[in-house]
DNA sequence: TTCCATACTGACCTGTTGGTAACCATGGCC
DNA sequence: GGCCATGGTTACCAACAGGTCAGTATGGAA
């Protein structure tokens, strides 16, 4: 594992941006907000990502403390990814970004091109 | 000028991230929140950016409706960059990011490595 | 023995970002 | 005519993110 501690920006907002902005991180997080997910599940949920990149994004988020990775030594092996408290604390931030993104789309007359900000309400687990 | 209309992501949060995350955009925006700034001023305020990249970031933000560019045909020529209403509406979002960035730094024991979230209070103009 | 499922890893390629350094255009001033 | 300031542009590069595709490891099932 790369021990090289890549330092994050010292400007907090830049730090946050750096940590959140990966091609698939927002989507992955949305799914993890709903509860722990196995890799295979995430692959189903986000079919557009390749396995390699999916793992890549997850590992980066793990390194940044957003995601917890738990290995269950079963057969076949099972690995569960879940959002840490720190990860969960991103929910309102992502919501703010989402709402602003919508406003942005509106002001540029591209509302039809964007989805909504519904974050699936926590379901049981 | 490249007429190719690069479409932004349709997931609003990703759209927002795409629009905000450029190496210097946050810093530039902070300065523009305080009022219009000339290019030369911004160069002074953010000495670490090269002129090319500075203009690049400004133009991208202009294209995305965050920044307004006004040319005063004087001698020597003057150009002012200012935050549009849409740009100003990013202030709370950046604040949210900043606060989260601080929390992130805290939880990873790197508080000492980050600055604060003070957004200079609007001064007159 | 071969096959399958899981969860990875590695080689390789490409487009985008950010960076350096140099050059251009205008028009006043000396 | 040279020089200055402003506000750019251009050519060129290096680093990196993300993408494809193929390979690895484990251990039960057939």
């Amino acid at each position: 594992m790369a021990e090289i501690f890549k330092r994050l920006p010292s400007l907090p907002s830049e730090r946050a941006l750096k940590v959140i902005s990966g091609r698939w991180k927002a989507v992955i997080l949305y799914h993890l907000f709903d509860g722990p997910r196995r890799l295979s599940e995430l692959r189903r949920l986000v079919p557009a990502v390749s396995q390699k990149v999916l793992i890549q994004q997850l590992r980066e988020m793990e390194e940044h403390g957003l995601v917890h990775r738990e290995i269950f030594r079963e057969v076949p092996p099972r690995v569960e990814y879940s959002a840490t408290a720190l990860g969960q604390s991103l929910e309102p931030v992502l919501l703010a970004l989402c709402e602003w993104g919508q406003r942005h789309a509106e002001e540029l007359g591209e509302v039809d091109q964007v989805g909504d900000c519904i974050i699936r309400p926590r379901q049981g687990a």
Side-chain angles (χ1 to χ4, degrees), chain A residues 7-21 64:
Chain A
R7 265 250 296 293
L8 292 166
S10 50
L11 196 63
S13 43
E14 285 180 348
R15 183 190 184 91
L17 283 168
K18 187 118 195 176
V19 165
I20 314 172
S21 49
H64 291 146

Side-chain angles (χ1 to χ4, degrees), chain A residues 34-54:
Chain A
D34 286 344
R37 296 268 180 257
R38 309 183 51 169
L39 183 71
S40 44
E41 278 183 281
L42 288 170
R43 286 218 287 154
R44 253 193 321 99
L45 292 164
V46 196
V49 215
S50 73
Q51 183 164 288
K52 191 202 91 168
V53 176
L54 180 55

Side-chain angles (χ1 to χ4, degrees), chain A residues 66-86:
Chain A
L66 310 186
V67 160
H68 173 70
R69 178 164 162 267
E70 182 142 23
I71 308 123
F72 298 84
R73 298 226 143 274
E74 308 170 351
V75 162
R78 184 160 59 100
V79 175
E80 267 187 11
Y81 294 91
S82 52
T84 61
L86 192 53

Side-chain angles (χ1 to χ4, degrees), chain A residues 95-107 110 114-115 117:
Chain A
L95 184 62
L97 282 167
C98 190
E99 283 168 351
W100 187 88
Q102 289 203 303
R103 166 166 184 181
H104 184 257
E106 276 165 35
E107 302 223 2
E110 300 173 15
V114 303
C117 288

Side-chain angles (χ1 to χ4, degrees), chain A residues 107-125:
Chain A
E107 302 223 2
L108 269 70
E110 300 173 15
V111 223
D112 44 318
Q113 290 172 36
V114 303
D116 49 28
C117 288
I118 295 170
I119 296 187
R120 234 177 308 314
R122 196 72 64 265
Q123 39 199 298

